[in-house]
Amino acid sequence: MVEALTIKEEEALFLLTENSIIDEMRTVVEQFWLPPHKACAQIEKIIRLYTDDLSLKVMVSGETKNISLYIIGSSGVLALTPFSNIDSNVLLQKVYGESLLPKNRKWYIFPPDPRLIRRLTLPKVLLVNPCVLENFPVPRLSLSIGLLASYLRKYQKADVRIIDMQMGFTVKDIIDEALQFRPVLFGLSISFGQKGIALSILDEIYNARKPAITDPLIVLGNIIPAAFPSEFLERYPDSIVAHREGELTIMGLVEYLQGERELESVPGITFRNKLGNIQSTPNESVPMALIPLPALDTIEDLVRCKGALTLELSRGCQWNACTFCPREHKSSIWKTFPTEQILDQFIRLRQICDHFGLSRHVFLADEEFVGGMNDGLETERITGLSQELRRRDIGIHIDAAARVDQVYSPSMGTAWHIKRMKMWHLCRQAGLDRLFMGIESGSNAQLQRYGKGISAGHAVIAIRILSALGIPLRFGFIMFDQLMIGLKDLKENITFLERTDAFMKPIDVQEYGYEKLFELLLRDKDFVATFSANKPIYAGVSYMLATMEVLINSRYKVMLKHAERQYGKQLILDENTPDTNMGRYKVVFVDGLIKDISVSSQKWIDRHFGAAYTIKSAYKIAPEPERKYLMDWMIAYRSISLLLVKALVFIFDENENPEELFDIMTSGILEPNLPSSLGEFRNDSRKGNPVYRARLIEDCLNIFDRLVEVEMRKLKTLMELGEVTDTADGRLHAVLQRWQANKGMWVLINDADHASEHEVS
């Protein structure tokens, strides 16, 4: 065993081993959400109360279970590990070996071994999450940089700091921190739509890269750099682009900077080698059991901004066949945490919620909550997790996502469906507050183009089952795609979204039993009518009127290439130079009318996106009285959005009965001039002219915008009455002001050159 240092009682390190002082320091370190540098500052204050030895240095490293405190003096090093014993400390194991470390000790004073002192001099890493705050004003816990920071801390490999621009930090704040902190590695996570702000940060960092000030290795990760490494390496030749999972990559890069390995051996990177050629290394997947809780450095800011807690329990998707979803930057297999690890992370987050007064609600970022196990035991795994959540009374509520065929799959028998109903019912009892399903379309032809592997009817049955079990739902829906020809698919979508035979009232399972309830929901129209919630499907759609985005490396691009040969026309206009901000192609619509309706719908979305996103985000964490007001606004907005598309179909579909009037209503208020205006638009002989058609559609947008304005006034009144509360820095109020200021402006946010405004000529 490493011999304990023998020092005089009056020396500083010995003084600090007094039980009461150890307890004070332990209390600080046990706040596992504190960023290490803030924990160090609090420890230093405690030390100053008991000794005037200014030579003592403080370091905190590790995460949750293995957080460690080191106080480094000229005569030795005091190590304190409140969550574990000294002999399980990974840093000390590297220096001395586990067998030589003291057993059953929470603190220990080590001699001033040069190896230990050198190992405690951790390289500095600064990780940044850029964000265009105007587009995404309500934050969520950043998993991208949070998981990387936590992984480095777990193995005590680096002194990591985080800056998340969701919390209001500016480019100047980032540069100031880099100049003051002087990291050896500067990491930037660049997701969809964040390229512009990221380039601003990088340009400033490169301007500040002077050896005497700061000269970090620049590492770029997430979907955009991973998809376009050559573009970033052209602009920043000595940067490193990370692709796929980042934990082993960033660990390897830190080891490279420490001289412990060659750059070519670091997994999952693209870079310019010594010859100036672009080189990539193979990806390596980190075992899920080794991934810790994401770093919680930003939790105080998250509370201030009324943001949402997010967590990742699995990675990948077992389906891997949706044509709109690029998979190259994601895991090609589905994998999940062990159940005990999930429970431990929930317990940690419960501590966070209780300490900061947050609602015990976590939003899972998993692509697929249920997933696909190699042994086919998905139901048993979720059932076991739910049972443990209830047995331990953990009290965490979650939002999750699953495919329709995890609920209803006609290829599976009755026994499978009964087990699944029991599983989902238990999930609800264990804290499942809401489930997201990617329904995507009510047109079977469109669902086939999307590669969903389901029909619209399957989705209806799944909604019935889950809502009957009392599970609130929300849906993904892609109304338009570029291969849509004519109005048939669109009209099927409208009819589907208006169906009221999908959402059920909660039904007492004990009265019917799972098997009988399943059969009734599947086949008995009278039973369905009796228990219908009289709620249209569109009420659960997260974003109405969305258009297919043809993302790089997606299968839909391949379908467009086939269609190019079929129609003898170019459909992908920038195949070799795609939009590297949004990671998508500029594509042509086969049908000009569908193009016009789609583009106008996207302008409608973008006009209201800031308000809709902020209100939807506020709903996630609002207390119950506020949630109803916010949900009422969202449903009214979705209703108006669908009515807009119905009106456009009414205007342009020559086969539609002109005498049929739509219920152009919202919240009991009728727009007086709407029916006559729609009739005039329909009868206008100039509507076939593409230029005039665009003007006519914009007039229609302005009419329906007045209906949204009514809902905005209601929301503003609720805020003035204190029924709906804002963030501490007034983000909801600011969004409503911007909405009013932009009245009548119909532009595309992330599509300056109107990439979708093309059709086959």
Side-chain angles (χ1 to χ4, degrees), residues 740-761:
Q740 189 63 39
N742 292 333
K743 188 175 180 180
M745 296 174 62
W746 301 102
V747 295
L748 300 171
I749 294 176
N750 286 311
D751 208 345
D753 58 356
H754 294 191
S756 296
E757 295 193 29
H758 299 273
E759 62 182 285
V760 174
S761 58

Side-chain angles (χ1 to χ4, degrees), residues 698-753:
E698 186 162 314
D699 288 342
C700 203
L701 293 177
N702 286 321
I703 290 173
F704 280 87
D705 199 45
R706 293 201 290 269
L707 299 181
V708 178
E709 189 170 17
V710 172
E711 301 304 321
M712 290 298 196
R713 286 199 296 267
K714 291 180 184 177
L715 182 61
K716 187 177 179 181
T717 299
L718 289 169
M719 291 176 66
E720 291 169 349
L721 294 173
E723 300 291 341
V724 172
T725 57
D726 203 348
T727 62
D729 54 359
R731 296 190 180 192
L732 180 54
H733 178 73
V735 162
L736 296 184
Q737 281 189 318
R738 280 198 298 273
W739 183 91
Q740 189 63 39
N742 292 333
K743 188 175 180 180
M745 296 174 62
W746 301 102
V747 295
L748 300 171
I749 294 176
N750 286 311
D751 208 345
D753 58 356

Side-chain angles (χ1 to χ4, degrees), residues 321-325 440-441 443-454 478-486 488-490 492-493 548 554-560 563 566-567 590 594:
C322 295
T323 60
F324 49 78
C325 185
E440 311 307 355
S441 177
S443 162
N444 288 333
Q446 201 172 36
L447 284 168
Q448 189 171 11
R449 291 197 297 274
Y450 292 171
K452 290 297 296 180
I454 62 169
I478 305 174
M479 182 78 82
F480 307 96
D481 74 291
Q482 289 76 10
L483 295 177
M484 181 186 282
I485 300 175
K488 182 176 182 293
D489 292 347
L490 183 55
E492 288 178 357
N493 279 337
M548 166 74 77
S554 67
R555 292 181 177 90
Y556 197 88
K557 181 212 171 186
V558 178
M559 295 172 64
L560 287 174
Q566 177 183 352
Y567 294 105
V590 173
I594 294 297

Side-chain angles (χ1 to χ4, degrees), residues 429-479:
Q429 294 167 342
L432 176 61
D433 268 9
R434 192 167 56 161
L435 188 73
F436 174 89
M437 290 194 297
I439 290 174
E440 311 307 355
S441 177
S443 162
N444 288 333
Q446 201 172 36
L447 284 168
Q448 189 171 11
R449 291 197 297 274
Y450 292 171
K452 290 297 296 180
I454 62 169
S455 72
H458 299 167
V460 169
I461 301 300
I463 296 170
R464 285 179 189 167
I465 291 171
L466 292 171
S467 57
L469 296 175
I471 298 174
L473 301 168
R474 65 186 184 98
F475 313 122
F477 204 87
I478 305 174
M479 182 78 82

